[in-house]
Amino acid sequence: MMVFDVMANPHNPAGKANISDIARLANVSTATVDRVLNRRAGVREATVQRVLKAAAELAYLPENDLYAALTPSAMRISFVLPKGTNRFIKMLGDTITYSHDSWAPYNVKCRVDYVEGFNPEALATSLKKQAERADGVACMAIEHPLVRDAIEDLVEKGKHVITLITDISNTRRAAYIGLDNRAAGRTAAYLIARFIGARPAKAAMIAGSLSYRAHEEREMGFLYMFKELFPTVDVVGLREGLDSAEENYRLTRQLLEQSPGLAGIYNIGGASDGVARALKEAGLAHKVVFIGHGLTPDTRALLIDGTMDAVITQNPQTTTMNSIRIFANLRDRRPVMSGVDPVQSQIIFRENLP
């Protein structure tokens, strides 16, 4: 990094322009000029450009140094995602990793760090490490004091934090990018009830983990929709499958044994293929209404063969682009949501597959 003396011009002989001259021409303090020329944070972009323009007019910097000063370092962004078998999260990570050309206009560098899923200690440890390697951090948060403390620690150190897919309470995160998850749960309940028809029936839920606020909110929306509009449908319980296909398979077999005549299943999280395998083995594919989340190659195949009836999803490209725009807004001190597209919930059936 170039370091300039605020008291003297290292590039020009005595009598030529100096820091004070630049400050007067740009109508700022010498301290602000010092911050701009040494590329320190805390100066508005418009002020930076004014200072650099004044430096150029006064021929204070050689051309090479001026070009370097005019070219800010790329903002370093870390996406912290859970590793595991959730294919939608894998698609999101791949979108971030392999779409560098799309981020070029925003002058950012993105990386993806995967941590053990549903483990607040592992997530908090990874978040704290990002303080040394990132200017902005996006994560799928877990509702846990360790995670809240790690986010607050990043904010205290001047790092921007946003949450993806699932939010967290009582932190100073800058923004949340994801679905309205209560609405998603209500939508799933509405679809199941309409598919079942006007008759008494039983429905069940399988979540990844209620430590995700998104999954908790989907459960709440699901339950309240039946209570309000479809009281003849009895929700027989909730299981947590940790987005594991094997665990979801086991839990679905258990649900089918404990609740003969089960009419609907809502998979709140990932690994819908585990649920589907249990339904097929029991001869109940096409008979039990099955709603899940995340359009991926496996859920696409399940829609096509009729095992799944509908998938509630969001676009991973839109999620990533919105994250980049928010970080650029925070860096440039624009309104946080300027130019950010609202995340739209999509309901995909076999007949409208994109």
Side-chain angles (χ1 to χ4, degrees):
M1 177 184 290
M2 298 177 298
V3 178
F4 298 97
D5 185 349
V6 299
M7 299 305 295
N9 182 347
H11 302 293
N12 292 285
K16 299 294 184 179
N18 58 32
I19 295 291
S20 296
D21 296 327
I22 298 171
R24 281 193 294 271
L25 183 58
N27 195 29
V28 298
S29 68
T30 55
T32 297
V33 174
D34 177 53
R35 295 186 73 85
V36 171
L37 295 183
N38 290 299
R39 299 170 72 174
R40 299 192 184 101
V43 183
R44 293 175 62 87
E45 184 61 27
T47 303
V48 170
Q49 295 304 317
R50 197 163 71 244
V51 169
L52 293 174
K53 181 181 178 182
E57 289 181 7
L58 294 170
Y60 178 79
L61 299 175
E63 184 176 344
N64 289 343
D65 285 349
L66 182 60
Y67 177 80
L70 285 165
T71 307
S73 299
M75 186 180 191
R76 302 166 301 160
I77 299 174
S78 288
F79 289 82
V80 182
L81 303 177
K83 62 183 176 182
T85 59
N86 188 313
R87 290 179 175 85
F88 183 83
I89 301 303
K90 180 65 165 58
M91 287 173 57
L92 179 62
D94 288 346
T95 299
I96 297 162
T97 301
Y98 300 115
S99 300
H100 293 301
D101 291 346
S102 300
W103 324 140
Y106 297 93
N107 193 26
V108 299
K109 289 184 177 180
C110 300
R111 59 178 288 156
V112 180
D113 285 345
Y114 290 99
V115 299
E116 181 183 348
F118 312 105
N119 185 327
E121 292 84 1
L123 177 56
T125 298
S126 178
L127 289 175
K128 289 186 177 182
K129 289 180 180 177
Q130 305 307 322
E132 302 301 323
R133 61 177 68 153
D135 306 303
V137 180
C139 69
M140 283 184 60
I142 295 173
E143 283 284 4
H144 193 280
L146 286 174
V147 178
R148 279 191 283 271
D149 285 350
I151 290 175
E152 289 301 288
D153 185 59
L154 284 170
V155 174
E156 285 292 333
K157 292 177 178 176
K159 309 299 180 180
H160 303 299
V161 180
I162 67 173
T163 52
L164 302 174
I165 313 298
T166 182
D167 204 3
I168 189 169
S169 59
N170 301 320
T171 67
R172 287 178 290 168
R173 60 98 175 115
Y176 161 67
I177 298 296
L179 298 178
D180 177 336
N181 286 297
R182 283 196 66 147
R186 290 175 66 88
T187 299
Y190 182 83
L191 289 170
I192 287 177
R194 296 295 290 179
F195 274 114
I196 290 173
R199 63 182 174 89
K202 295 179 181 179
M205 291 178 286
I206 296 176
S209 171
L210 295 186
S211 62
Y212 280 149
R213 181 172 167 181
H215 290 197
E216 181 182 18
E217 290 174 346
R218 290 172 190 176
E219 177 202 14
M220 292 169 61
F222 189 77
L223 292 173
Y224 276 103
M225 174 57 79
F226 285 123
K227 182 178 180 180
E228 292 172 13
L229 298 182
F230 306 102
T232 59
V233 177
D234 180 25
V235 180
V236 296
L238 172 70
R239 307 291 192 275
E240 292 181 281
L242 302 178
D243 285 353
S244 162
E246 286 302 317
E247 185 66 6
N248 280 1
Y249 167 78
R250 186 187 69 80
L251 292 173
T252 304
R253 291 298 300 260
Q254 186 182 86
L255 284 166
L256 295 174
E257 292 169 4
Q258 293 176 349
S259 300
L262 187 70
I265 294 177
Y266 173 36
N267 183 26
I268 293 175
S272 286
D273 52 333
V275 179
R277 180 158 64 96
L279 290 175
K280 290 177 179 179
E281 286 186 5
L284 294 173
H286 310 167
K287 296 179 182 179
V288 174
V289 179
F290 180 18
I291 309 294
H293 276 267
L295 185 61
T296 62
D298 63 313
T299 56
R300 173 184 288 271
L302 294 172
L303 285 171
I304 291 172
D305 73 16
T307 305
M308 291 190 79
D309 295 281
V311 169
I312 302 168
T313 194
Q314 56 190 298
N315 189 306
Q317 288 82 13
T318 300
T319 299
T320 308
M321 181 57 76
N322 281 345
S323 302
I324 300 299
R325 286 173 175 159
I326 287 173
F327 282 124
N329 289 339
L330 290 165
R331 176 193 60 202
D332 300 336
R333 301 191 178 187
R334 291 190 295 266
V336 173
M337 302 305 288
S338 177
V340 175
D341 299 323
V343 175
Q344 298 292 336
S345 174
Q346 296 176 286
I347 304 174
I348 306 297
F349 304 96
R350 182 175 66 177
E351 303 307 323
N352 72 339
L353 275 166

